[in-house]
Amino acid sequence: MGGRAELLGQTLAGARAEGRAALIAYLPAGFPTVDGGIDAVKAVFDGGADVVEVGLPHSDPVLDGPVIQTADDIALRGGVRIADVMRTVREAHLATGKPVLVMTYWNPIDRYGVERFTAELAAAGGAGCILPDLPVQESALWRENAAKHGLATVFVVAPSSKDARLAEITDAGSGFVYAASLMGVTGTRESVGEQAQDLVRRTRATTDLPVCVGLGVSNAVQAAEVAGFADGVIVGSAFVKLMLDAEDAGAGLVAVRSLARELAEGVRGRV
């Protein structure tokens, strides 16, 4: 892979060497403001996140639940642009030296230009991209440009994915595999259930890539549960909800840093 994708691989391998899962946080760029979003990414890193996914706000985030949709709406009303997403990646990576990915739907990249997007993301120090709605069979142009710039391409698998489909997806991806633990949109859940464990088992049968589980974790107990069978625990809506509910931006940063610290204990089994 080369480039910052190597840093991502080293980070996930380092967590495994410590006998634990990695903590991966998701936060949308431009929320509550561009500067506030950058501060939030730094705060979750400070709390103990190993990797951060920066969301590119979209007007129709079909896989995201109401919490992230609300944050996206705020960011879009604030005028967030792809340049702001790149700045978020750059400043967060420069400040922490840790891997930062972008999570985005395909349409904004297609409009912006694949070559332009991958070149700018690499220049910003990005580790790669998570592309939840890009079909593998239509991904050759993206993967060619991503590889050229040393970026990981992370695809999403779901419980509905048949074994042959899982093999096709994991063969095309790099960095890690994003396992959606429950069908439907993202958001916190009371229990991640056995479905996620079965999906991880079936995915691991097709690849040596780390398998990281998202869509539902919101506390240390759940993080510890997922860490027992996955290589990484992905948390998004829980962080965003704390920022939405906070009295002000400063209180939001305190809250997300604290949750990251709690979840970091969870993935280490210290709950």
Side-chain angles (χ1 to χ4, degrees):
M1 288 182 292
R4 300 294 178 195
E6 286 186 357
L7 175 62
L8 175 64
Q10 291 163 1
T11 300
L12 295 172
R16 176 181 285 184
E18 293 176 13
R20 66 175 179 89
L23 174 59
I24 303 175
Y26 167 93
L27 289 163
F31 168 73
T33 61
V34 176
D35 287 343
I38 293 168
D39 289 341
V41 175
K42 292 177 182 176
V44 295
F45 271 136
D46 186 49
D50 298 290
V51 179
V52 169
E53 307 169 3
V54 172
L56 195 162
H58 193 268
S59 56
D60 185 26
V62 291
L63 292 177
D64 297 313
V67 170
I68 291 173
Q69 285 185 20
T70 299
D72 278 5
D73 288 343
I74 291 168
L76 291 167
R77 285 202 304 272
V80 70
R81 296 288 182 267
I82 287 179
D84 300 312
V85 178
M86 299 299 180
R87 182 184 151 215
T88 302
V89 172
R90 179 182 301 106
E91 294 198 16
H93 175 66
L94 276 175
T96 65
K98 295 183 178 180
V100 183
L101 300 104
V102 168
M103 187 167 189
T104 179
Y105 295 97
W106 179 245
N107 188 251
I109 295 177
D110 194 36
R111 289 204 312 265
Y112 197 72
V114 175
E115 167 61 31
R116 181 185 178 195
F117 189 94
T118 52
E120 290 184 7
L121 182 56
C129 222
I130 302 163
L131 301 160
D133 67 337
L134 177 63
V136 168
Q137 60 270 26
E138 298 173 21
S139 68
L141 177 64
W142 165 266
R143 287 187 287 130
E144 177 187 339
N145 282 277
K148 182 167 74 174
H149 292 291
L151 299 171
T153 297
V154 178
F155 289 113
V156 178
V157 297
S160 59
S161 304
K162 304 298 184 188
D163 290 351
R165 178 68 174 154
L166 285 176
E168 183 185 6
I169 293 169
T170 59
D171 184 59
S174 56
F176 64 91
V177 182
Y178 189 128
S181 70
L182 291 139
M183 298 296 289
V185 299
T186 65
T188 58
R189 302 293 202 283
E190 288 191 10
S191 173
V192 293
E194 294 179 7
Q195 199 174 44
Q197 196 162 352
D198 179 64
L199 177 58
V200 170
R201 179 188 58 77
R202 292 195 300 119
T203 303
R204 279 190 174 144
T206 71
T207 184
D208 291 329
L209 289 173
V211 182
C212 303
V213 171
L215 314 190
V217 170
S218 60
N219 59 50
V221 172
Q222 291 175 339
E225 181 187 348
V226 175
F229 60 83
D231 299 297
V233 180
I234 302 170
V235 181
S237 296
F239 284 117
V240 177
K241 187 175 190 304
L242 286 175
M243 293 177 66
L244 283 169
D245 292 346
E247 290 183 7
D248 54 43
L253 295 178
V254 170
V256 296
R257 185 182 292 108
S258 176
L259 177 59
R261 194 168 290 125
E262 176 191 337
L263 294 167
E265 293 291 297
V267 299
R268 288 166 173 81
R270 299 173 186 160
V271 291

mmCIF file with all atom_site columns, all heavy atoms in Angstrom, residues 226-239:
data_model
loop_
_atom_site.group_PDB
_atom_site.id
_atom_site.type_symbol
_atom_site.label_atom_id
_atom_site.label_alt_id
_atom_site.label_comp_id
_atom_site.label_asym_id
_atom_site.label_entity_id
_atom_site.label_seq_id
_atom_site.pdbx_PDB_ins_code
_atom_site.Cartn_x
_atom_site.Cartn_y
_atom_site.Cartn_z
_atom_site.occupancy
_atom_site.B_iso_or_equiv
_atom_site.pdbx_formal_charge
_atom_site.auth_seq_id
_atom_site.auth_comp_id
_atom_site.auth_asym_id
_atom_site.auth_atom_id
_atom_site.pdbx_PDB_model_num
ATOM 1  N N   . VAL A 1 226 ? -17.409 -6.328  21.875 1.00 0.00 ? 226 VAL A N   1
ATOM 2  C CA  . VAL A 1 226 ? -16.972 -6.397  20.476 1.00 0.00 ? 226 VAL A CA  1
ATOM 3  C C   . VAL A 1 226 ? -15.480 -6.681  20.387 1.00 0.00 ? 226 VAL A C   1
ATOM 4  O O   . VAL A 1 226 ? -15.021 -7.438  19.526 1.00 0.00 ? 226 VAL A O   1
ATOM 5  C CB  . VAL A 1 226 ? -17.328 -5.099  19.733 1.00 0.00 ? 226 VAL A CB  1
ATOM 6  C CG1 . VAL A 1 226 ? -16.768 -5.125  18.309 1.00 0.00 ? 226 VAL A CG1 1
ATOM 7  C CG2 . VAL A 1 226 ? -18.836 -4.905  19.690 1.00 0.00 ? 226 VAL A CG2 1
ATOM 8  N N   . ALA A 1 227 ? -14.703 -6.090  21.298 1.00 0.00 ? 227 ALA A N   1
ATOM 9  C CA  . ALA A 1 227 ? -13.251 -6.308  21.296 1.00 0.00 ? 227 ALA A CA  1
ATOM 10 C C   . ALA A 1 227 ? -12.896 -7.768  21.529 1.00 0.00 ? 227 ALA A C   1
ATOM 11 O O   . ALA A 1 227 ? -11.796 -8.204  21.176 1.00 0.00 ? 227 ALA A O   1
ATOM 12 C CB  . ALA A 1 227 ? -12.588 -5.437  22.367 1.00 0.00 ? 227 ALA A CB  1
ATOM 13 N N   . GLY A 1 228 ? -13.835 -8.523  22.094 1.00 0.00 ? 228 GLY A N   1
ATOM 14 C CA  . GLY A 1 228 ? -13.594 -9.935  22.330 1.00 0.00 ? 228 GLY A CA  1
ATOM 15 C C   . GLY A 1 228 ? -13.561 -10.769 21.063 1.00 0.00 ? 228 GLY A C   1
ATOM 16 O O   . GLY A 1 228 ? -13.042 -11.883 21.074 1.00 0.00 ? 228 GLY A O   1
ATOM 17 N N   . PHE A 1 229 ? -14.100 -10.228 19.961 1.00 0.00 ? 229 PHE A N   1
ATOM 18 C CA  . PHE A 1 229 ? -14.117 -11.018 18.718 1.00 0.00 ? 229 PHE A CA  1
ATOM 19 C C   . PHE A 1 229 ? -13.701 -10.239 17.471 1.00 0.00 ? 229 PHE A C   1
ATOM 20 O O   . PHE A 1 229 ? -13.584 -10.834 16.398 1.00 0.00 ? 229 PHE A O   1
ATOM 21 C CB  . PHE A 1 229 ? -15.497 -11.654 18.495 1.00 0.00 ? 229 PHE A CB  1
ATOM 22 C CG  . PHE A 1 229 ? -16.643 -10.684 18.375 1.00 0.00 ? 229 PHE A CG  1
ATOM 23 C CD1 . PHE A 1 229 ? -16.922 -10.060 17.165 1.00 0.00 ? 229 PHE A CD1 1
ATOM 24 C CD2 . PHE A 1 229 ? -17.457 -10.413 19.463 1.00 0.00 ? 229 PHE A CD2 1
ATOM 25 C CE1 . PHE A 1 229 ? -17.980 -9.185  17.042 1.00 0.00 ? 229 PHE A CE1 1
ATOM 26 C CE2 . PHE A 1 229 ? -18.526 -9.533  19.351 1.00 0.00 ? 229 PHE A CE2 1
ATOM 27 C CZ  . PHE A 1 229 ? -18.788 -8.913  18.137 1.00 0.00 ? 229 PHE A CZ  1
ATOM 28 N N   . ALA A 1 230 ? -13.471 -8.922  17.588 1.00 0.00 ? 230 ALA A N   1
ATOM 29 C CA  . ALA A 1 230 ? -13.104 -8.116  16.418 1.00 0.00 ? 230 ALA A CA  1
ATOM 30 C C   . ALA A 1 230 ? -11.728 -7.492  16.605 1.00 0.00 ? 230 ALA A C   1
ATOM 31 O O   . ALA A 1 230 ? -11.219 -7.383  17.722 1.00 0.00 ? 230 ALA A O   1
ATOM 32 C CB  . ALA A 1 230 ? -14.145 -7.023  16.186 1.00 0.00 ? 230 ALA A CB  1
ATOM 33 N N   . ASP A 1 231 ? -11.137 -7.064  15.493 1.00 0.00 ? 231 ASP A N   1
ATOM 34 C CA  . ASP A 1 231 ? -9.823  -6.411  15.542 1.00 0.00 ? 231 ASP A CA  1
ATOM 35 C C   . ASP A 1 231 ? -9.926  -4.930  15.854 1.00 0.00 ? 231 ASP A C   1
ATOM 36 O O   . ASP A 1 231 ? -8.938  -4.305  16.253 1.00 0.00 ? 231 ASP A O   1
ATOM 37 C CB  . ASP A 1 231 ? -9.097  -6.599  14.205 1.00 0.00 ? 231 ASP A CB  1
ATOM 38 C CG  . ASP A 1 231 ? -8.866  -8.061  13.887 1.00 0.00 ? 231 ASP A CG  1
ATOM 39 O OD1 . ASP A 1 231 ? -8.140  -8.720  14.654 1.00 0.00 ? 231 ASP A OD1 1
ATOM 40 O OD2 . ASP A 1 231 ? -9.423  -8.552  12.887 1.00 0.00 ? 231 ASP A OD2 1
ATOM 41 N N   . GLY A 1 232 ? -11.104 -4.363  15.640 1.00 0.00 ? 232 GLY A N   1
ATOM 42 C CA  . GLY A 1 232 ? -11.304 -2.956  15.927 1.00 0.00 ? 232 GLY A CA  1
ATOM 43 C C   . GLY A 1 232 ? -12.755 -2.689  16.269 1.00 0.00 ? 232 GLY A C   1
ATOM 44 O O   . GLY A 1 232 ? -13.659 -3.393  15.813 1.00 0.00 ? 232 GLY A O   1
ATOM 45 N N   . VAL A 1 233 ? -12.979 -1.685  17.112 1.00 0.00 ? 233 VAL A N   1
ATOM 46 C CA  . VAL A 1 233 ? -14.320 -1.280  17.525 1.00 0.00 ? 233 VAL A CA  1
ATOM 47 C C   . VAL A 1 233 ? -14.542 0.139   17.015 1.00 0.00 ? 233 VAL A C   1
ATOM 48 O O   . VAL A 1 233 ? -13.783 1.056   17.352 1.00 0.00 ? 233 VAL A O   1
ATOM 49 C CB  . VAL A 1 233 ? -14.461 -1.321  19.059 1.00 0.00 ? 233 VAL A CB  1
ATOM 50 C CG1 . VAL A 1 233 ? -15.860 -0.901  19.482 1.00 0.00 ? 233 VAL A CG1 1
ATOM 51 C CG2 . VAL A 1 233 ? -14.134 -2.713  19.597 1.00 0.00 ? 233 VAL A CG2 1
ATOM 52 N N   . ILE A 1 234 ? -15.570 0.307   16.181 1.00 0.00 ? 234 ILE A N   1
ATOM 53 C CA  . ILE A 1 234 ? -15.836 1.596   15.542 1.00 0.00 ? 234 ILE A CA  1
ATOM 54 C C   . ILE A 1 234 ? -17.014 2.258   16.246 1.00 0.00 ? 234 ILE A C   1
ATOM 55 O O   . ILE A 1 234 ? -18.083 1.661   16.393 1.00 0.00 ? 234 ILE A O   1
ATOM 56 C CB  . ILE A 1 234 ? -16.151 1.414   14.049 1.00 0.00 ? 234 ILE A CB  1
ATOM 57 C CG1 . ILE A 1 234 ? -14.994 0.703   13.343 1.00 0.00 ? 234 ILE A CG1 1
ATOM 58 C CG2 . ILE A 1 234 ? -16.429 2.762   13.391 1.00 0.00 ? 234 ILE A CG2 1
ATOM 59 C CD1 . ILE A 1 234 ? -15.300 0.249   11.924 1.00 0.00 ? 234 ILE A CD1 1
ATOM 60 N N   . VAL A 1 235 ? -16.815 3.502   16.682 1.00 0.00 ? 235 VAL A N   1
ATOM 61 C CA  . VAL A 1 235 ? -17.859 4.237   17.415 1.00 0.00 ? 235 VAL A CA  1
ATOM 62 C C   . VAL A 1 235 ? -18.051 5.601   16.760 1.00 0.00 ? 235 VAL A C   1
ATOM 63 O O   . VAL A 1 235 ? -17.079 6.355   16.598 1.00 0.00 ? 235 VAL A O   1
ATOM 64 C CB  . VAL A 1 235 ? -17.483 4.413   18.897 1.00 0.00 ? 235 VAL A CB  1
ATOM 65 C CG1 . VAL A 1 235 ? -18.598 5.153   19.644 1.00 0.00 ? 235 VAL A CG1 1
ATOM 66 C CG2 . VAL A 1 235 ? -17.210 3.059   19.550 1.00 0.00 ? 235 VAL A CG2 1
ATOM 67 N N   . GLY A 1 236 ? -19.300 5.908   16.388 1.00 0.00 ? 236 GLY A N   1
ATOM 68 C CA  . GLY A 1 236 ? -19.577 7.188   15.742 1.00 0.00 ? 236 GLY A CA  1
ATOM 69 C C   . GLY A 1 236 ? -20.719 7.942   16.384 1.00 0.00 ? 236 GLY A C   1
ATOM 70 O O   . GLY A 1 236 ? -20.535 9.010   16.969 1.00 0.00 ? 236 GLY A O   1
ATOM 71 N N   . SER A 1 237 ? -21.916 7.380   16.306 1.00 0.00 ? 237 SER A N   1
ATOM 72 C CA  . SER A 1 237 ? -23.106 8.100   16.774 1.00 0.00 ? 237 SER A CA  1
ATOM 73 C C   . SER A 1 237 ? -23.009 8.519   18.235 1.00 0.00 ? 237 SER A C   1
ATOM 74 O O   . SER A 1 237 ? -23.493 9.597   18.607 1.00 0.00 ? 237 SER A O   1
ATOM 75 C CB  . SER A 1 237 ? -24.358 7.236   16.575 1.00 0.00 ? 237 SER A CB  1
ATOM 76 O OG  . SER A 1 237 ? -24.594 7.000   15.207 1.00 0.00 ? 237 SER A OG  1
ATOM 77 N N   . ALA A 1 238 ? -22.389 7.691   19.066 1.00 0.00 ? 238 ALA A N   1
ATOM 78 C CA  . ALA A 1 238 ? -22.284 8.026   20.490 1.00 0.00 ? 238 ALA A CA  1
ATOM 79 C C   . ALA A 1 238 ? -21.476 9.306   20.702 1.00 0.00 ? 238 ALA A C   1
ATOM 80 O O   . ALA A 1 238 ? -21.820 10.143  21.552 1.00 0.00 ? 238 ALA A O   1
ATOM 81 C CB  . ALA A 1 238 ? -21.659 6.870   21.261 1.00 0.00 ? 238 ALA A CB  1
ATOM 82 N N   . PHE A 1 239 ? -20.400 9.475   19.919 1.00 0.00 ? 239 PHE A N   1
ATOM 83 C CA  . PHE A 1 239 ? -19.603 10.709  20.016 1.00 0.00 ? 239 PHE A CA  1
ATOM 84 C C   . PHE A 1 239 ? -20.409 11.907  19.513 1.00 0.00 ? 239 PHE A C   1
ATOM 85 O O   . PHE A 1 239 ? -20.424 12.975  20.138 1.00 0.00 ? 239 PHE A O   1
ATOM 86 C CB  . PHE A 1 239 ? -18.322 10.583  19.189 1.00 0.00 ? 239 PHE A CB  1
ATOM 87 C CG  . PHE A 1 239 ? -17.257 9.729   19.815 1.00 0.00 ? 239 PHE A CG  1
ATOM 88 C CD1 . PHE A 1 239 ? -16.831 8.558   19.203 1.00 0.00 ? 239 PHE A CD1 1
ATOM 89 C CD2 . PHE A 1 239 ? -16.659 10.093  21.013 1.00 0.00 ? 239 PHE A CD2 1
ATOM 90 C CE1 . PHE A 1 239 ? -15.846 7.770   19.763 1.00 0.00 ? 239 PHE A CE1 1
ATOM 91 C CE2 . PHE A 1 239 ? -15.662 9.313   21.588 1.00 0.00 ? 239 PHE A CE2 1
ATOM 92 C CZ  . PHE A 1 239 ? -15.260 8.143   20.965 1.00 0.00 ? 239 PHE A CZ  1
#
